[in-house]
Amino acid sequence: MEMNLPSDHPARYWHALDDGRLQCDLCPRYCHLHEGQRGACFVRMNDGGRLVLSTWGRSSGFCIDPIEKKPLNHFHPGSSVLSFGTAGCNLACKFCQNWDISKSRDMDRLMDQALPDDIALAAQRNGCRSVAFTYNDPVIFAEYAMDIADACHGRGITTVAVTAGYITPNARADFFSRMDAANVDLKAFSPAFYRQLCGAELQPVLDTLVWLRHHSAVWLEITTLLIPSRNDSDAELQALARWVCRELGDEVPLHFTAFHPDHKMRDVPATPPETLNRARRIAQDAGLKHVYTGNVHDPEGGTTRCARCGEALIVRDWYQILDYRLDAEGACPCCGTRLAGRFGPYGKPFGPRRIPISIHATSPA
């Protein structure tokens, strides 16, 4: 029997102010909400003097993807991942590539419904190694994501957060303690870019990256979407790569991906392949060992090489693995050096396909 899930799930990370408003303490916006008012993310609201999450149990849809699409190149390569998102976002990126989901205000009548264990069970039944919280930012549906992560771990399924990393220190430890891997969108390396094109601040994202790398067990990879003439100058790319190398280490994978005209930046041209190749060279020259290009066919830009001897260990073209040479421990067959990441026995890769599936919320037996 199908069930209607409540649209007023209690939220964490808030407190009441002296003037009667509520302050949301989940992200660095610290929204102050009057009765009935929603936060900038649109999904957290003041309902009768308590903060509620309106999208708990609701999704914009479920798909099975290759893990490389997240993108994660050093986290169980070739495996499949059950992916989903909800609605809303706590950033306001003018270039959003998923704006129909993240900026939606009419999702309630469109969304699938699923309890946490429904999702974990679906991942298990479909042979998915992981569940990914993606498409919009899982920080804003943190309570739902954490409940799902607990259910997944109970069934031996790992969890992945694809996020902008815009979260407060207060909530960060709880949220990421439930995640096994994260790909963080580092939108640019410019405070002005974040303010003007994202309506946010850069420093909290950098703080999240440092915390993830040095104070958590989460496997971390980073993605920067390169937008022509906005965040692709040599100087900015050098500064970004040097910061990653210095603050996070030279083996944190960095992905440069191609922008396509969308949302409020349809007048900006798509990223040419040479820009991605130039960014990759700059990051490698800065000392980073694992730099990738994305959203393009580029086998060299998708290849993982041994950090010590340079041997090609995983050859990819977009989301397709063409050759895999690591052993079950993730070691290079030539020099024995272990590749940074999370690896295990490698079988037949899932491939580049994307498979939509349906999950329905059911009443407990």
Side-chain angles (χ1 to χ4, degrees):
M1 178 180 68
E2 291 192 4
M3 62 184 295
N4 290 318
L5 298 176
S7 59
D8 60 348
H9 189 83
R12 307 183 192 181
Y13 317 114
W14 62 275
H15 70 276
L17 300 173
D18 291 340
D19 62 6
R21 293 180 298 170
L22 303 183
Q23 177 176 303
C24 179
D25 298 320
L26 177 63
C27 95
R29 290 185 176 279
Y30 294 108
C31 292
H32 291 181
L33 306 176
H34 291 285
E35 170 62 32
Q37 188 177 12
R38 293 175 180 264
C41 65
F42 194 70
V43 300
R44 307 175 84 81
M45 68 176 292
N46 182 343
D47 180 20
R50 61 181 188 134
L51 195 69
V52 300
L53 172 63
S54 62
T55 52
W56 194 98
R58 291 168 168 77
S59 167
S60 57
F62 297 89
C63 286
I64 300 176
D65 291 321
I67 193 69
E68 288 76 16
K69 191 175 182 183
K70 297 309 98 188
L72 288 171
N73 282 358
H74 293 232
F75 187 76
H76 304 296
S79 64
S80 60
V81 54
L82 178 59
S83 303
F84 80 97
T86 58
C89 189
N90 59 340
L91 270 65
C93 300
K94 295 181 179 179
F95 50 89
C96 183
Q97 312 279 279
N98 289 321
W99 64 270
D100 53 331
I101 295 172
S102 65
K103 305 305 176 189
S104 176
R105 298 295 184 265
D106 299 305
M107 291 300 291
D108 283 347
R109 64 175 178 268
L110 299 175
M111 287 188 285
D112 292 336
Q113 298 188 35
L115 294 168
D117 201 55
D118 295 326
I119 295 171
L121 182 59
Q124 187 178 57
R125 287 176 172 171
N126 284 279
C128 298
R129 180 149 197 154
S130 308
V131 166
F133 311 110
T134 181
Y135 306 141
N136 70 321
D137 202 301
V139 164
I140 65 164
F141 61 93
E143 294 84 356
Y144 187 35
M146 290 189 291
D147 289 344
I148 294 165
D150 289 342
C152 287
H153 291 150
R155 292 183 178 273
I157 305 295
T158 58
T159 52
V160 173
V162 181
T163 175
Y166 210 57
I167 188 170
T168 62
N170 185 45
R172 188 167 56 201
D174 283 351
F175 178 75
F176 285 111
S177 71
R178 270 45 171 242
M179 303 300 147
D180 298 288
N183 187 294
V184 175
D185 289 325
L186 180 55
K187 309 287 184 179
F189 204 67
S190 160
F193 179 103
Y194 265 84
R195 293 187 192 112
Q196 295 167 12
L197 296 183
C198 304
E201 297 292 336
L202 170 62
Q203 191 59 51
V205 181
L206 300 182
D207 293 344
T208 294
L209 288 167
V210 170
W211 185 90
L212 281 169
R213 179 65 181 87
H214 298 293
H215 301 285
S216 83
V218 177
W219 173 251
L220 172 65
E221 303 193 21
I222 301 169
T223 295
T224 298
L225 181 77
L226 293 182
I227 306 174
S229 77
R230 303 302 197 277
N231 65 350
D232 64 345
S233 70
D234 284 5
E236 183 167 340
L237 293 171
Q238 287 169 353
L240 185 156
R242 288 170 181 167
W243 183 89
V244 171
C245 193
R246 181 179 69 251
E247 302 295 335
L248 307 181
D250 60 7
E251 292 203 67
V252 172
L254 174 60
H255 303 254
F256 291 116
T257 57
F259 162 86
H260 63 260
D262 216 332
H263 195 37
K264 297 180 179 180
M265 294 182 68
R266 296 178 186 271
D267 58 335
V268 178
T271 309
E274 174 50 35
T275 296
L276 300 177
N277 294 331
R278 174 171 56 86
R280 183 168 179 263
R281 290 194 298 270
I282 288 171
Q284 290 173 326
D285 289 344
L288 293 177
K289 305 296 186 184
H290 306 296
V291 188
Y292 300 102
T293 59
N295 294 345
V296 291
H297 287 289
D298 179 14
E300 180 56 37
T303 293
T304 298
R305 295 186 177 275
C306 176
R308 182 179 180 186
C309 73
E311 181 71 11
L313 302 177
I314 310 171
V315 180
R316 304 177 186 83
D317 185 10
W318 212 308
Y319 309 130
Q320 181 82 45
I321 292 181
L322 305 179
D323 189 28
Y324 187 95
R325 303 192 60 213
L326 292 170
D327 65 19
E329 301 301 317
C332 172
C334 295
C335 69
T337 301
R338 291 189 63 173
L339 180 66
R342 306 287 185 268
F343 306 98
Y346 180 77
K348 181 180 179 181
F350 177 72
R353 55 203 161 140
R354 184 173 189 263
I355 305 174
I357 66 170
S358 293
I359 301 175
H360 299 286
T362 55
S363 297

